[in-house]
Amino acid sequence: MSRSNLSRRAWARASALALVVLALAAGPAQAHHPRGLRDLAQRPLIGTAVNTDLLGSDATYTSILDREFNSVTPENAMKWESVERERGVLDFSAADRLVAHARAHRQIVRGHTLLWHNQLPAWLTSGTFTNDELEAILREHIIDEASHFRGRVYAWDVVNEAFNEDGTLRDTIWLRQLGPGYIAKAFRWAHQGDPHAKLYYNDYNLESIGPKSDAAYALVQDLRRQGVRIDGVGFQGHLGIQYPYPDTLGDNLERFAALGVDVALTEVDVRMILPVTAEKLATQAEQFKGMLNSCRAVRRCVSYTVWGFDDLHSWVPGVFAGEGAATPFDENYRPKPAYFALRDALARHRHR
Ligand code: G3I
């Protein structure tokens, strides 16, 4: 072998070695900022409910939040019991921290929720008010809170969970004392408080076509007939693998979109009866993915929000004894099959 051949071969080996050394010196391939769910598709926005107690104080929680999600919903910080524990004393501090964090991390904010029958302040639930007094209190609350966040909240869950499973109106102080018109009034006051925000009706067990989603469908038509602004309907998406999957979700989202409103999956989680098994995790992953695919197939489905992204801080075990593991990350912040199923669904192109 001639000297020149030898030197050429030696040079080639040396160059290859140099390239390997350079690559290793640059660190592992994942040294670049890892792409999260939020980077994989233009639509829908990918969101999560946020526990503001962990925001900033839990570095891993906050890192995953900002890497993966471009939409945030305060899990509790904007609820009436949180913002007005004492009558007339408004405290938006926790929610303001979340809104500021979202702005700094290019995340939109879904406001949750102006009017609900749960998590009301004790001074309200233990008080006795005439119908007119209660209406004035509700009006002031909605306008005060919507005004406080004016221009900083992309959409509000104005009214949350007003229907029973059979489609009748839930028996609450609002219905009892203000009559069915309280819903239209709440939407009008929310619009008065923030003319820019999108105004949603939000509920659980709306996913399938049936009496409850029919009632929400009729509500949209009724509000529109009254000239009341409603921009969207939130389908919470709280599922359990032990129950039938809502196979009509796609058609359901389509029919609401055809009404001329946006739709959103607003509180997605898929619980299971513990213990966790690989088979249960696989079923869970399919259901997370199924809801996302149904959303992606409908142009007006604007966001898909999980109701908390890690099992350790999920609301489920505290409410459903013996159940849990409902979110895409486990109790040690490790991604589960559901997380990878969401990545897969977002990475695939949709024809619409
Ligand atoms: O703030 C108190 C705290 O002072 C006290 O020390 C602590 C222990 O008792 O309780 C704290 O309040 C808890 C609150 O979350 C804030 O952490 C309540 O007990 C607890 O019941 C409440 O649970 C929330 C639940 O709504 C209330 O119904 C969950 O975190 C929240 O994820 C859940 O979210 C709802 C949506 O808003 C609407 N759709 C259904 C969804 C699941 O229920």
Side-chain angles (χ1 to χ4, degrees), residues 49 51 53 74-76 79 81-82 85 112-113 116 118-119 160-161 202-204 236 238 267 269 307 313-316 319-320:
N51 178 334
D53 294 341
E75 185 175 11
N76 291 293
K79 291 171 179 173
E81 75 170 358
S82 301
R85 279 192 186 279
H112 177 83
T113 177
W116 193 19
N118 265 351
Q119 292 182 270
N160 190 51
E161 303 175 10
N202 188 56
D203 211 333
Y204 63 89
Q236 291 184 6
H238 292 297
E267 305 185 15
D269 49 32
W307 200 248
H313 301 107
S314 167
W315 67 284
V316 167
V319 174
F320 298 102

Side-chain angles (χ1 to χ4, degrees), residues 10 17 64 70 73 102 126 128 131 151 162 166 176 181 189 212 217 238 245 262-263 287 304 312 321 330-331 333:
L17 180 62
I64 295 172
N70 52 14
T73 306
S126 59
T128 306
N131 296 352
D166 65 359
R176 286 196 299 277
W189 295 331
K212 194 170 188 179
Y217 187 88
H238 292 297
Y245 179 80
D262 289 338
V263 292
Q287 296 200 5
Y304 177 100
L312 179 64
D330 72 15
E331 61 282 353
Y333 291 131

Side-chain angles (χ1 to χ4, degrees), residues 172-184:
T172 67
I173 58 168
W174 311 120
L175 180 66
R176 286 196 299 277
Q177 292 200 242
L178 307 186
Y182 82 86
I183 296 176

